[in-house]
Amino acid sequence: MKRTGAQIVWEMLKREGVEVVFGIPGGAIMHTYHPRREYGIRHILMRHEQCAAHAADGYARVSGKVGVAMATSGPGATNLVTGIATAYMDSVPIVAFTGQVPTGMIGNDAFQEVAIVNITQSITKHNFLVKDVRDLPRIIKEAFYIARTGRPGPVLIDLPKDVQKSTLSDYKYPESVEIRSYKPIYDGHPLMIKKAIAAIERAERPVIYAGGGIIVSNASKELRELAERCDIPVTTTLLGLGAFPETHPLSLKMLGMHGTQYANFAINEADLLIAIGARFDDRVTGKISEFAPNAKDIIHIDIDPSAISKNVKVSIPVVGDCKRTLQKILKNIKPLKHTAWVERCKEWKLSLIHI
């Protein structure tokens, strides 16, 4: 089937399940906008490109789908940066499309040309400059795959004007993705899981430190089951709010600079810290050398291997999806009771004023 680059964009978005795009049209992306109505995808016109990126971010958080933002070249593209950075820091899957000057003019300081791929390299999981319309279907398929898999995050696709106008006579939707250098690990190493179980079973004052990864992997049920079966207090990060009910007797609410005093007291006294889908942010740890000083072991479960021991050195690293890893732990761990420890945390909750 013959398609222009612009038509391929909307065809691919349709096949990826996209229902809404947030953006602002402009000269360098106008060719892509023209065929939109043919595909029935809703477009929400924003008042500023930064709003488009933030809206795509918010949509992704509440829907569980990949958010899509679209902007023109130059100032349109650079206005997306803050929203893209937010999505990157908070592990939110979005795909941003930016218009670009024709490929033959790239690097010539053409009107409203900026090297948005270079600008966003440090705040995206990956980005693409499309130089040939034949690569466009594969690139869009890869962009959505990268954005939603592993630790989610933003991906940017830069579309030169000539690529948008070019035609592809043998357009085919790519059914699968194969990227040699990108292989997310979903199942934690059995030996590390075994070590984690042993550490939990011998601990006297364990605390679960749950982050946004619990919500991303839909592991709230497993988190609650682990806490209740093993009688372990739970504290969450800002992004982890909602992962564990704050009305639960084992809840310590949020920890860190803006958290509760009793959560920080518990972290300070814990002999085992079980970090799940959290990145040990500085607003949580404060001075790293004084964070969880009594913890004999720190377990860190995270799908992103680069996050493990990045800020706080851990003794039991488990690289894998939170949900799958917790399911394997629950399959093999025995019920535990920490009556004295839970009672102590309860006393702190009753006596300390929290923010």
Side-chain angles (χ1 to χ4, degrees), residues 36-205:
R36 179 189 63 84
R37 291 181 180 274
E38 301 171 21
Y39 296 90
I41 296 175
R42 184 183 179 195
H43 179 270
I44 297 180
L45 180 66
M46 311 304 291
R47 291 296 177 264
H48 192 282
E49 290 85 0
Q50 185 180 123
C51 299
H54 285 312
D57 175 300
Y59 174 85
R61 292 181 198 241
V62 299
S63 70
K65 299 178 180 181
V66 178
V68 179
M70 195 170 285
T72 190
S73 63
T78 55
N79 283 345
L80 290 174
V81 169
T82 299
I84 292 172
T86 300
Y88 182 73
M89 294 301 296
D90 289 355
S91 304
V92 180
I94 70 171
V95 173
F97 290 88
T98 53
Q100 184 57 276
V101 300
T103 52
M105 299 180 70
I106 292 175
N108 291 337
D109 295 328
F111 177 69
Q112 290 195 343
E113 178 198 357
V114 296
I116 195 63
V117 166
N118 302 63
I119 290 170
T120 58
Q121 275 181 342
S122 64
I123 54 169
T124 53
K125 278 188 74 175
H126 195 64
N127 53 32
F128 300 90
L129 171 60
V130 187
K131 295 182 178 179
D132 191 321
V133 71
R134 290 173 294 185
D135 297 327
L136 188 54
R138 172 187 57 81
I139 285 174
I140 296 176
K141 183 73 174 179
E142 288 181 0
F144 275 83
Y145 175 74
I146 292 169
R148 66 164 67 99
T149 57
R151 179 179 177 178
V155 178
L156 182 134
I157 300 175
D158 203 23
L159 290 170
K161 290 171 72 173
D162 55 320
V163 172
Q164 298 172 50
K165 293 191 295 181
S166 297
T167 57
L168 184 62
S169 58
D170 57 346
Y171 162 71
K172 291 181 181 178
Y173 174 73
E175 297 292 342
S176 60
V177 175
E178 182 62 33
I179 306 173
R180 284 195 307 170
S181 59
Y182 179 69
K183 303 286 183 183
I185 299 171
Y186 288 93
D187 294 308
H189 195 285
L191 178 59
M192 291 296 105
I193 291 175
K194 189 175 180 180
K195 285 186 176 182
I197 292 171
I200 294 170
E201 290 181 342
R202 67 173 174 262
E204 295 179 357
R205 302 184 306 279

Side-chain angles (χ1 to χ4, degrees), residues 196-210 220-236 243-245 247-253 262-263 266-267 269-276 297 299 301 326 329-330 333-346 348-349:
I197 292 171
I200 294 170
E201 290 181 342
R202 67 173 174 262
E204 295 179 357
R205 302 184 306 279
V207 171
I208 293 173
Y209 157 44
S220 296
K221 178 186 173 186
E222 288 76 10
L223 171 64
R224 181 167 182 167
E225 188 176 343
L226 177 64
E228 292 177 345
R229 185 187 300 182
C230 298
D231 203 25
I232 304 174
V234 178
T235 182
T236 66
F244 190 80
T247 54
H248 196 286
L250 291 170
S251 172
L252 296 172
K253 299 190 178 180
Y262 45 81
I267 290 290
E269 294 294 324
D271 65 353
L272 173 67
L273 186 60
I274 309 163
I276 311 172
D297 283 301
I299 300 167
I301 301 168
L326 287 176
I329 290 174
L330 288 165
I333 201 165
K334 63 185 181 183
L336 301 167
K337 291 300 290 184
H338 299 99
T339 306
W341 174 234
V342 171
E343 189 61 32
R344 190 172 181 185
C345 291
K346 183 179 178 181
W348 282 330
K349 288 173 72 173

